Coordinates of all heavy atoms in Angstrom, one line a residue:
S26 N 5.5 -9.1 -24.6 CA 4.9 -10.1 -25.4 C 3.7 -10.7 -24.6 O 2.9 -11.4 -25.2 CB 5.9 -11.2 -25.8 OG 6.4 -11.9 -24.6
S52 N -4.4 2.8 -24.4 CA -5.6 3.3 -25.2 C -6.4 4.3 -24.4 O -7.1 5.2 -25.0 CB -6.5 2.1 -25.6 OG -5.8 1.2 -26.3
I56 N -7.9 11.0 -15.8 CA -7.2 12.1 -15.0 C -8.2 12.6 -14.0 O -9.2 13.2 -14.4 CB -6.6 13.2 -16.0 CG1 -5.7 12.6 -17.0 CG2 -6.0 14.3 -15.1 CD1 -5.2 13.6 -18.0
A112 N -13.5 -3.9 -7.0 CA -14.0 -5.1 -6.3 C -15.3 -5.6 -6.8 O -15.5 -6.8 -6.7 CB -14.2 -4.7 -4.8
E161 N -1.1 -24.6 0.1 CA -1.4 -25.2 1.4 C -2.9 -25.6 1.5 O -3.7 -25.0 0.7 CB -1.0 -24.3 2.5 CG 0.5 -24.0 2.6 CD 1.3 -25.2 2.8 OE1 0.8 -26.1 3.5 OE2 2.5 -25.3 2.3
C218 N 2.1 -1.2 11.0 CA 0.8 -1.3 11.6 C -0.4 -1.3 10.6 O -1.3 -2.0 10.8 CB 0.6 -0.1 12.6 SG 1.9 -0.1 13.9
I248 N 7.1 -14.6 7.1 CA 7.3 -16.0 7.4 C 6.0 -16.6 7.9 O 5.3 -16.0 8.7 CB 8.3 -16.1 8.5 CG1 9.6 -15.4 8.2 CG2 8.6 -17.6 8.8 CD1 10.6 -15.2 9.4
S274 N 1.8 -13.0 -12.9 CA 2.1 -14.3 -13.6 C 0.8 -15.1 -13.6 O -0.1 -15.0 -12.8 CB 3.2 -15.1 -12.8 OG 4.4 -14.3 -12.8
G316 N -12.7 -3.1 14.6 CA -13.2 -2.8 13.2 C -14.0 -1.5 13.1 O -13.6 -0.5 13.7
S362 N -20.4 2.3 5.6 CA -20.7 2.4 4.2 C -19.6 3.4 3.6 O -18.9 4.0 4.3 CB -22.1 3.0 4.0 OG -22.1 4.4 4.5
V385 N 2.0 23.5 17.2 CA 2.8 24.5 16.4 C 3.2 25.7 17.3 O 2.4 26.2 18.1 CB 2.1 25.0 15.2 CG1 2.9 26.1 14.5 CG2 1.8 23.9 14.2

Side-chain angles (χ1 to χ4, degrees):
S26 64
S52 300
I56 302 174
E161 296 299 327
C218 297
I248 307 165
S274 301
S362 66
V385 174

